[in-house]
């Protein structure tokens, strides 16, 4: 999500405010940067889980904890996928989990990302959910 937000042209704006005409004939419309608006974040949440095909599943041999690592770069080039499960079932499970999290915690994700909150993953995990107490581990720089 952070990477997608960073790709928005800073000059791109959206009109915000009331479209009603005030008694003095003016309107209370302002232009705000599009990045991090609710409309932008909703759009990102609708598509973010499609990016799970760029990840693979690793299993820590000691703790048996699953982690997900990027196996395709953002420009589509293969990265090191050694000892990584990139089979369709693993990716399908990851995508399903992503969709569940995006749907169930949509309000929290929009709240945190709209305010440029540092450590969104930590705040989502520690303040609003118990997601990080489970076996699924999403690296901080990939959230």
């Amino acid at each position: 999500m952070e990477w997608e937000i960073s790709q928005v042209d800073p000059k791109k704006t959206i009109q915000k405010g009331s479209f009603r005409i005030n008694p003095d004939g003016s309107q209370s419309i302002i232009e705000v940067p599009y990045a991090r608006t609710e409309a932008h974040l909703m759009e990102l949440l609708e598509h973010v889980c499609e990016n799970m095909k760029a990840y693979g599943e690793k299993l820590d041999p000691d703790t048996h904890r699953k982690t997900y690592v990027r196996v395709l770069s953002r420009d589509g080039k293969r990265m090191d996928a050694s000892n990584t499960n990139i089979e369709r079932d693993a990716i399908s499970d990851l995508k399903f989990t992503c969709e569940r999290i995006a749907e169930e915690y949509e309000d929290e994700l929009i709240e945190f990302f709209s305010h440029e909150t540092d450590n969104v993953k930590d705040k989502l995990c520690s303040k609003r959910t118990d997601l990080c107490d489970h076996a699924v581990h999403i690296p901080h720089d990939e959230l």
Side-chain angles (χ1 to χ4, degrees), residues 70-82:
R70 184 173 278 282
V71 295
L72 289 176
S73 66
R74 296 198 193 279
D75 61 4
K77 294 180 183 166
R78 285 225 168 262
M79 299 171 66
D80 179 21
S82 58

Side-chain angles (χ1 to χ4, degrees), residues 64-112:
H64 302 287
R65 184 179 178 107
K66 293 178 186 178
T67 58
Y68 295 92
V69 295
R70 184 173 278 282
V71 295
L72 289 176
S73 66
R74 296 198 193 279
D75 61 4
K77 294 180 183 166
R78 285 225 168 262
M79 299 171 66
D80 179 21
S82 58
N83 301 317
T84 305
N85 180 358
I86 55 173
E87 292 178 16
R88 181 173 292 166
D89 289 347
I91 305 312
S92 179
D93 288 348
L94 178 59
K95 183 178 178 193
F96 175 79
T97 300
C98 176
E99 290 167 347
R100 185 184 60 79
I101 291 169
E103 183 178 328
E104 189 170 338
Y105 300 104
E106 177 180 309
D107 294 339
E108 289 85 352
L109 290 164
I110 289 172
E111 174 190 341
F112 290 141

Side-chain angles (χ1 to χ4, degrees), residues 41-68:
L41 295 173
M42 291 289 290
E43 182 181 323
L44 289 180
L45 281 174
E46 287 178 20
H47 302 287
V48 71
C49 296
E50 294 169 13
N51 296 332
M52 296 303 103
K53 64 182 177 272
Y55 292 83
E57 177 185 88
K58 278 196 172 192
L59 186 64
D60 184 297
D62 298 324
T63 65
H64 302 287
R65 184 179 178 107
K66 293 178 186 178
T67 58
Y68 295 92

